[in-house]
């Protein structure tokens, strides 16, 4: 917490910026960057059942993971059917979302893959309600549902749970905590591989409805977000926060958020 | 929390999957998806000082936000200098990270933009330590540092703080809480616009070192992650969690994580 005036602030107040420890003068104005491919692409309807195996296989393919799996099952399969521009995308980039971005456990990569696919076809005004629907469904639905049959990487049955959060850390850790299954096991990976197919199917269902002009979200704002939003939000008493995630996992005083650095366990 | 056997589990145990309420038979095995552009791209060194204004302007450009800003300042400027394949990327997609993905407050979009750019050029084994370095720097550094001079969108000085987290919700809300500045204000937006330039410069510094073969992370594993990792982790007593984020914001029992649904404030 830097509340006083630091050397850096002092320097920036003088019109310069500190870069790598050296003072450089303020940047000249630059033209807004050009957008060589700034237009959203045309979406095509897809068959969720036909795309699901691509998501599950994509999860395991080269170890690229959940984000790649969902994204390829949408944009990749569109490319296999319709060619350019869909098949020109550098799909390897989508490995970025694996394990919540390089194992950091932030956003569930499957959800990032779906939101990224949405962003190919719809700007934020159209897209945000689609993301809301997908993310709220994810928070509340017992997953995984999909069964890959002979393509399963483990013989085990995969128990389900409700993640309650769109964050990889909470989603995976809560599943492991409730099932007792090692977060580093192949069973947990297969859980995420199947969940990748679930997210892809739900995302395609949302996209198809959007294309048909019948999209209408089924999931209302979470109770906690509505409750907290009464005071915390734009134009409210405390307009100091940002976000649409369910507030409950981190702000309801559960045992999990108590002080784990003293007298624990 | 679904611990019992649900109808869905029963159905999947029988070898089927529930899709849209209907029982479909298990999917046949499919070939692993092809990867039309599955190879990482060749990276080029960039000048962080020259790229920073693109990040800041990119943040404001079309309202595309932080993720687009960082990504364009790296891959876009590479495209302006070297052409294809860099300039062929559908940059509009990167709006996806705005406000932690469609206002959800998950990963800071600036960090997602940088990690996505890294993923263009390096596979996960090479990339993960680069992401660790960038994300740990972000958790610990008082931001924003960058000053756009005449390009600033507000006349105000922008106070800094240490986010302590890579999550947009925590980063923005903590900054607003500590400074008292409305999270919905233009000053807060400019804070994020400048932070976008800061993240771009740090990401480019890391990329340049990686290209030169001199990259070596300066930030060690966080104290909390090391402490908690003594028992929670692969091969440990409790291998039930996933993630590399600083554990402190959510697991140290602060006032912010107490029960906000009873007797609050």
């Amino acid at each position: 917490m830097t509340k006083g005036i630091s050397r850096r602030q002092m320097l920036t107040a003088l019109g310069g910026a500190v870069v790598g420890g050296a003072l450089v003068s303020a940047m000249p104005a630059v033209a807004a960057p050009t957008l060589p491919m700034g237009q959203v692409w045309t979406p095509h309807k897809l068959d969720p059942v036909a795309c699901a195996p691509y998501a599950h296989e994509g999860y395991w393919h080269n170890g690229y993971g959940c984000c790649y799996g969902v994204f390829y099952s949408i944009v990749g399969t569109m490319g296999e059917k319709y060619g350019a521009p869909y098949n020109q995308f550098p799909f390897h980039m989508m490995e970025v979302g694996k394990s919540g971005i390089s194992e950091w456990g932030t956003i569930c990569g499957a959800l990032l893959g779906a939101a990224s696919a949405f962003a190919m076809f719809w700007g934020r005004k159209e897209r945000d309600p689609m993301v809301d629907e997908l993310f709220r469904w994810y928070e509340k639905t017992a997953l995984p549902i999909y069964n890959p049959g002979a393509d399963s990487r483990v013989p085990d049955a995969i128990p389900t749970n409700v993640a309650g959060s769109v964050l990889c850390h909470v989603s995976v850790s809560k599943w492991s905590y409730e099932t007792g299954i090692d977060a580093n096991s192949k069973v947990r990976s297969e859980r995420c591989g199947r969940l990748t197919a679930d997210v892809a199917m739900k995302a395609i269902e949302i996209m198809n409805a959007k294309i048909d002009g019948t999209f209408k979200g089924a999931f209302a704002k979470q109770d906690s977000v509505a409750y907290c939003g009464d005071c915390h939000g734009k134009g409210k008493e405390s307009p100091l926060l940002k976000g649409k995630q369910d507030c409950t996992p981190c702000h309801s005083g559960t045992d999990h958020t108590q002080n784990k650095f003293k007298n624990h366990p």
Side-chain angles (χ1 to χ4, degrees), chain A residues 36-44 71-72 74-91 120-121:
Chain A
M37 298 177 73
Q39 301 305 314
V40 293
W41 290 358
T42 302
H44 294 280
F71 189 85
Y72 191 89
I74 299 173
V75 180
T77 58
M78 226 179 270
E80 292 191 14
K81 189 162 184 185
Y82 300 99
Y86 317 102
N87 65 357
Q88 303 300 303
F89 190 87
F91 292 105
M120 280 299 190
F121 309 112

Side-chain angles (χ1 to χ4, degrees), chain A residues 92-261:
Chain A
H92 69 274
M93 184 187 112
M94 302 312 290
E95 188 196 33
V96 67
K98 182 174 182 164
S99 296
I101 304 178
S102 288
E103 308 294 331
W104 273 68
T106 70
I107 182 69
C108 164
L111 294 177
L112 175 59
S116 300
F118 290 170
M120 280 299 190
F121 309 112
W122 292 279
R124 61 185 177 274
K125 195 181 157 187
E126 299 289 314
R127 182 178 73 250
D128 287 0
M130 300 168 69
V131 170
D132 289 352
E133 177 71 0
L134 180 70
F135 282 26
R136 288 173 185 157
W137 163 84
Y138 181 97
E139 282 182 340
K140 294 199 166 197
T141 305
L143 300 174
I145 297 167
Y146 180 74
N147 186 331
D151 289 327
S152 178
R153 295 309 197 274
V154 295
D156 317 56
I158 308 282
T160 70
N161 85 322
V162 176
S165 168
V166 296
L167 300 178
C168 168
H169 168 72
V170 180
S171 178
V172 168
S173 304
K174 189 163 173 275
W175 181 85
S176 283
Y177 181 79
E178 291 178 7
T179 64
I181 300 172
D182 192 327
N184 310 287
S185 65
K186 202 167 182 181
V187 178
R188 200 279 305 156
S189 294
E190 175 66 17
R191 172 260 184 190
C192 289
R194 295 184 183 192
L195 179 152
T196 296
D198 290 325
V199 169
M201 286 193 284
K202 185 70 186 174
I204 290 169
E205 178 188 313
I206 291 170
M207 286 179 60
N208 287 348
K210 183 72 181 172
I211 293 168
D212 281 340
T214 59
F215 170 70
K216 203 178 144 187
F219 289 85
K221 188 183 282 188
Q222 308 92 320
D223 291 344
S224 67
V225 176
Y227 175 86
C228 297
D230 275 350
C231 297
H232 299 284
K234 194 170 181 175
K236 301 294 175 64
E237 184 184 343
S238 170
L240 301 178
L241 59 81
K242 198 174 196 42
K244 287 183 173 184
Q245 298 173 69
D246 192 321
C247 313
T248 317
C250 300
H251 296 290
S252 57
T254 71
D255 180 55
H256 299 288
T257 55
Q258 299 314 303
N259 193 341
K260 297 297 183 186
F261 300 97

Side-chain angles (χ1 to χ4, degrees), chain A residues 50-59 68-70 72-73 77 80 146:
Chain A
C51 293
Y54 284 84
H56 177 262
E57 285 299 316
Y59 173 88
Y68 169 84
V70 170
Y72 191 89
S73 77
T77 58
E80 292 191 14
Y146 180 74

Side-chain angles (χ1 to χ4, degrees), chain A residues 1-10:
Chain A
M1 273 151 270
T2 307
K3 282 206 172 180
I5 303 243
S6 68
R7 176 173 159 274
R8 274 182 168 152
Q9 279 172 294
M10 185 66 84

